[in-house]
Amino acid sequence: MTGYADFILLVVVVLDLYVVATSRLASCVHASAFQGVALALLSVALWAPSYKGGVDGHLLHLAFLSIGTLLVKALVIPQLVLRAIREANVRREVEPFVSLHLSVLIAAVLVGISFWLSSVLVLPIPAPTTLLVPVAFATVLVGFLVLVSRKKAVTQVVGYLMVENGIFIFGQTLVQRIPFAVELGILLDLLVGVFVMGIAIHHISRAFDHIDTELLSALKD
Amino acid sequence: MAMELALHVVVLLTAPLLLLGVIQKTKAWFAGRSGPPLLQPYFDFWKLLHKGAVYSRTTTWLFRAGPIVGVATALCAGLVLPLIGARSPLGFSGDIILFAYLLGLGRFFAMSAALDTGSSFEGMGASREAAFSAFAEPALLLCLAILCVPARSVGFADAFAALRSAPPGFSHPTYLAAALGLFAVLLAENSRIPVDDPNTHLELTMIHEVMVLDHGGPDLAFVLYGSAMKLFVVGALLVHVILPPPLEGGWEGAGVLVGGQLGLAIGVGCVESMMARLRLPRVPQFLVGASVLAGVGLAALLYRGTA
């Protein structure tokens, strides 16, 4: 039964759109934390139908992946980003380059594109559920949208996390074959990314007293 | 069967005002008051029916037709929608389309009646209503499309048959998207809180209430009754998307309807008590969000159907 997995994937898409639609920084971060919870549940939901009982290597992999995702994506990273928000003292607006209405519509178009894209794409390994690939594409594309359309560094971190989440979802197609590679890839990549972002935010807020990246483009040497 | 259809009509005619009472009771409970009695909307309705009506000289027949058409369209929409069991008194194979247009027709006449008074406040209310319903309609149509696609039919009977045969629970997340979208439409169509405040006393912030300021006496009673019936009908649709009506109706069907509607009314009361009303520029975003949600559900449904 892939019903629960499909349900979780739909929740992931809704959270994507929520991140695009909301104007509060903290809600963006909370939404990406919920997305982390959804991803942890997703790997359980995808695996549960094939569970035959007993403890084997696969179960350990799954537990590692799921608990690791929960810890990193739903607890550690949101806490780091929320602390960055607190320290840089920017609670309020997201300040997009394109208006929120327009970006919701663009996100909807991107979701449509990703459904189309995955219907023309042929995977060597069949995906565990048909919604998996389109949702992965949608999350990556919407993540890119957030990355390019927002001014604040914090929202750019959130966009980066969404791209990561999309890659994680796509990785679920491979997790049955090479679980280790997927786990390591996901968790390391993520942590490095967030460290880089965290340092960047810290430096920007130190140097300019706020975390608006627009001023960086005005720099000349 | 005849028994069931008679029950359908009786419930449709008598129950709607009770929903308003339940919503008011829930809000009173949240505020720590005892609130008006549960049957207060019936008393109000009765009282208004016994009053005389005053008509401005600038108004024409449109103004008098508004409330009556409002009740008539809501009633017709309720008669094509299966309430108890699988059948409805006026159901036919294309009734979902008719349902959407009946809601639109009622709104059109409410707005025309408001414009007919020549009052600038009422014109403002009508323009707001028009703007927001333009955003609510795509959401409604997309939600209805989610019901139609699995059934390959635009009839409520077929759509609910498809829903009934679908495995229960989370296995059909697209129906959940439809339910959430419909809930947003329900709040917008019936001018409940995140979109409009039914208790507001300031003309500048009103939407639906300002359109009916000039109606009095029996006309106001019909406006009240029509909007309650619209709430009941859209609510029944939402309840049946979550809990499809059983094939054989009877007590089980009545139980699903009554329980679901009461739950929904309490839910609306909770939303009204816990949320602040959205700023006017934010309302379209709320409704576009609902449309996008329903659109994603529909895309997922179509994609799963083809893949």
Side-chain angles (χ1 to χ4, degrees):
Chain A
M1 204 73 218
T2 56
Y4 287 97
D6 282 350
F7 173 71
I8 294 168
L9 288 169
L10 212 65
V11 169
V12 169
V13 177
V14 171
L15 286 171
D16 286 345
L17 296 170
Y18 179 76
V19 169
V20 174
T22 185
S23 69
R24 295 216 174 112
L25 286 179
S27 335
C28 278
V29 180
H30 289 150
S32 79
F34 277 121
Q35 217 169 34
V37 176
L39 294 191
L41 292 175
L42 176 67
S43 37
V44 176
L46 283 176
W47 160 86
S50 62
Y51 184 59
K52 305 234 173 28
V55 176
D56 56 352
H58 196 85
L59 182 70
L60 291 178
H61 278 303
L62 179 96
F64 177 69
L65 190 63
S66 183
I67 294 170
T69 312
L70 196 65
L71 282 180
V72 175
K73 291 197 175 191
L75 293 173
V76 177
I77 294 174
Q79 282 306 315
L80 286 177
V81 179
L82 284 176
R83 209 183 69 184
I85 293 178
R86 250 198 328 273
E87 284 182 2
N89 232 341
V90 277
R91 261 171 218 99
R92 284 299 305 157
E93 297 291 308
V94 163
E95 288 185 43
F97 285 115
V98 286
S99 77
L100 289 175
H101 290 217
L102 192 61
S103 41
V104 172
L105 288 180
I106 295 174
V109 171
L110 288 178
V111 172
I113 287 176
S114 47
F115 273 100
W116 169 79
L117 196 63
S118 36
S119 67
V120 292
L121 209 70
V122 181
L123 288 179
I125 316 162
T129 157
T130 47
L131 277 184
L132 193 76
V133 181
V135 171
F137 278 128
T139 309
V140 171
L141 289 177
V142 175
F144 279 132
L145 173 71
V146 173
L147 266 176
V148 298
S149 71
R150 301 292 150 91
K151 285 179 196 168
K152 291 262 161 66
V154 171
T155 30
Q156 293 179 354
V157 174
V158 171
Y160 180 76
L161 287 174
M162 286 170 67
V163 174
E164 281 287 341
N165 287 346
I167 295 169
F168 178 94
I169 298 172
F170 203 76
Q172 294 292 321
T173 54
L174 286 176
V175 83
Q176 308 278 345
R177 309 280 173 111
I178 31 174
F180 251 134
V182 176
E183 285 159 28
L184 288 181
I186 289 165
L187 296 179
L188 278 181
D189 196 16
L190 193 70
L191 220 55
V192 170
V194 170
F195 274 131
V196 171
M197 284 293 197
I199 293 163
I201 288 181
H202 188 60
H203 277 254
I204 297 170
S205 67
R206 279 274 289 277
F208 297 103
D209 245 7
H210 55 74
I211 52 168
D212 198 332
T213 50
E214 205 184 15
L215 289 176
L216 285 182
S217 55
L219 285 181
K220 300 231 166 58
D221 47 21
Chain B
M1 184 54 81
M3 183 64 202
E4 211 166 78
L5 297 184
L7 191 62
H8 179 121
V9 176
V10 170
V11 167
L12 182 63
L13 285 175
T14 55
L17 289 169
L18 185 65
L19 283 187
L20 295 184
V22 174
I23 293 176
Q24 275 165 5
K25 262 291 184 220
T26 312
K27 287 170 78 172
W29 181 79
F30 261 88
R33 296 180 281 115
S34 60
L38 209 53
L39 297 181
Q40 186 63 42
Y42 292 95
F43 303 148
D44 289 344
F45 182 63
W46 190 247
K47 176 191 75 183
L48 288 169
L49 276 184
H50 286 85
K51 288 191 172 186
V54 179
Y55 295 105
S56 148
R57 269 192 307 265
T58 54
T59 57
T60 61
W61 63 272
L62 258 176
F63 180 75
R64 296 169 195 232
I68 299 164
V69 175
V71 173
T73 51
L75 186 64
C76 289
L79 287 177
V80 298
L81 180 73
L83 288 181
I84 301 164
R87 295 219 0 219
S88 57
L90 294 184
F92 59 101
S93 60
D95 50 8
I96 289 187
I97 311 266
L98 181 70
F99 181 83
Y101 275 92
L102 280 172
L103 291 184
L105 184 69
R107 203 162 41 226
F108 174 76
F109 268 88
M111 291 189 289
S112 307
L115 289 172
D116 196 40
T117 59
S119 147
S120 51
F121 265 133
E122 301 215 6
M124 182 194 71
S127 92
R128 283 178 182 170
E129 175 93 356
F132 293 157
S133 56
F135 284 102
E137 221 143 65
L140 175 68
L141 290 177
L142 284 169
C143 292
L144 291 177
I146 291 181
L147 293 184
C148 294
V149 168
R152 308 247 170 252
S153 153
V154 284
F156 277 120
D158 296 332
F160 286 142
L163 251 176
R164 211 176 293 122
S165 61
F170 291 113
S171 49
H172 276 257
T174 49
Y175 284 133
L176 203 72
L180 285 175
L182 272 179
F183 189 61
V185 170
L186 173 102
L187 294 175
E189 285 269 349
N190 298 292
S191 41
R192 308 309 306 191
I193 257 193
V195 175
D196 185 9
D197 186 353
N199 292 335
T200 184
H201 58 276
L202 192 65
E203 288 94 335
L204 272 177
T205 62
M206 292 175 173
I207 301 170
H208 177 76
E209 303 307 314
V210 75
M211 291 204 306
V212 300
L213 274 181
D214 275 23
H215 292 287
D219 283 326
L220 187 58
F222 272 86
V223 167
L224 191 77
Y225 189 49
S227 59
M229 196 179 276
K230 195 163 140 190
L231 176 68
F232 183 83
V233 169
V234 181
L237 175 62
L238 174 55
V239 165
H240 285 168
V241 170
I242 299 169
L243 300 168
L247 194 60
E248 280 311 319
W251 292 114
E252 196 191 342
V256 165
L257 181 74
V258 171
Q261 288 276 37
L262 287 181
L264 188 67
I266 293 172
V268 170
C270 292
V271 167
E272 295 222 335
S273 307
M274 293 190 295
M275 275 187 82
R277 179 191 167 159
L278 294 172
R279 275 189 298 136
L280 283 183
R282 299 279 291 176
V283 170
Q285 205 179 345
F286 173 73
L287 293 172
V288 167
S291 311
V292 167
L293 177 65
V296 168
L298 185 63
L301 192 64
L302 290 173
Y303 180 78
R304 271 217 308 203
T306 57

